[in-house]
Amino acid sequence: MSTTKWSVDPTHSEIGFKVKHMMFTNVSGSFQNFEATVMTEDENFENADVTFSGDVSSVNTGNADRDKHLQSPDFFDAEQFPKITFQSTSFKKESDDEYILIGDLSLHGVSKPVTLNVEFGGTAKDPWGNLKAGMSITGKINRKDWGLSWNAGLEAGGVLVGEEVKFNIELQFVKQ
């Protein structure tokens, strides 16, 4: 079998996340600089090998002060841990367009397995003849499991920053 490499098209992709703020609203963010590849057997995505690397310094929540705080040692510690990485260990088809992606997520100096849900959008040629593939990926982690434990108590009870981080990832790949 031949192996096919698919490289992420960053102009049509986004790595998004949400975290509860003050226990009642979500704050969204994304990483602006990242790379991802998928290695497949021909054009069959089952059992694909998925890799990802993102620059912590590119975190963007729409607020420069919050982004600077997220890059600080209180959270990601971008100076000491400049990258977030993911390496798949399993990519299994559940139904026509649903997959389960399992792999090791490394951030803040900690690597742990995560399970993500993938909706495979299929493949199609763009107007320039490039074969593209699309995926929507969702999942969640507890940030404290990766040592991201900073928080502040609220006067009325509760905490400023939620522990659960939800991923909302949209990826478009180009066949190489």
Side-chain angles (χ1 to χ4, degrees):
M1 292 229 165
S2 65
T3 301
T4 302
K5 180 179 180 180
W6 300 78
S7 295
V8 74
D9 175 354
T11 61
H12 297 104
S13 300
E14 59 186 48
I15 307 298
F17 62 89
K18 288 184 180 183
V19 178
K20 286 278 187 204
H21 183 257
M22 294 186 63
M23 302 182 63
F24 55 69
T25 59
N26 286 306
V27 170
S28 297
S30 63
F31 291 93
Q32 304 299 300
N33 299 328
F34 56 88
E35 297 175 352
T37 59
V38 176
M39 300 298 287
T40 64
E41 295 175 1
D42 298 314
E43 292 173 16
N44 176 12
F45 279 77
E46 191 166 11
N47 299 316
D49 180 43
V50 180
T51 60
F52 166 82
S53 176
D55 294 335
V56 170
S57 64
S58 74
V59 67
N60 181 357
T61 64
N63 180 289
D65 289 337
R66 180 173 44 230
D67 296 347
K68 187 175 179 181
H69 190 205
L70 288 172
Q71 294 174 33
S72 79
D74 284 346
F75 287 98
F76 291 117
D77 196 354
E79 190 172 311
Q80 186 173 354
F81 307 107
K83 298 277 187 190
I84 294 172
T85 62
F86 175 84
Q87 175 61 58
S88 68
T89 56
S90 174
F91 193 78
K92 297 290 182 199
K93 189 172 191 171
E94 296 288 301
S95 66
D96 285 345
D97 61 352
E98 301 290 327
Y99 290 76
I100 300 295
L101 175 60
I102 300 172
D104 295 318
L105 177 66
S106 299
L107 65 106
H108 198 250
V110 178
S111 185
K112 291 192 172 283
V114 295
T115 299
L116 304 168
N117 299 307
V118 178
E119 180 182 345
F120 181 66
T123 61
K125 284 196 176 182
D126 68 13
W128 300 274
N130 300 302
L131 186 61
K132 298 219 172 169
M135 296 180 193
S136 298
I137 303 173
T138 58
K140 60 186 174 181
I141 63 168
N142 184 321
R143 65 185 177 88
K144 286 186 170 185
D145 292 343
W146 279 264
L148 301 163
S149 57
W150 182 91
N151 224 328
L154 299 174
E155 186 177 304
V159 292
L160 186 64
V161 182
E163 292 179 11
E164 183 178 85
V165 179
K166 294 180 182 178
F167 299 118
N168 184 21
I169 301 167
E170 297 291 332
L171 297 174
Q172 190 174 111
F173 291 94
V174 181
K175 181 179 178 183
Q176 300 300 297

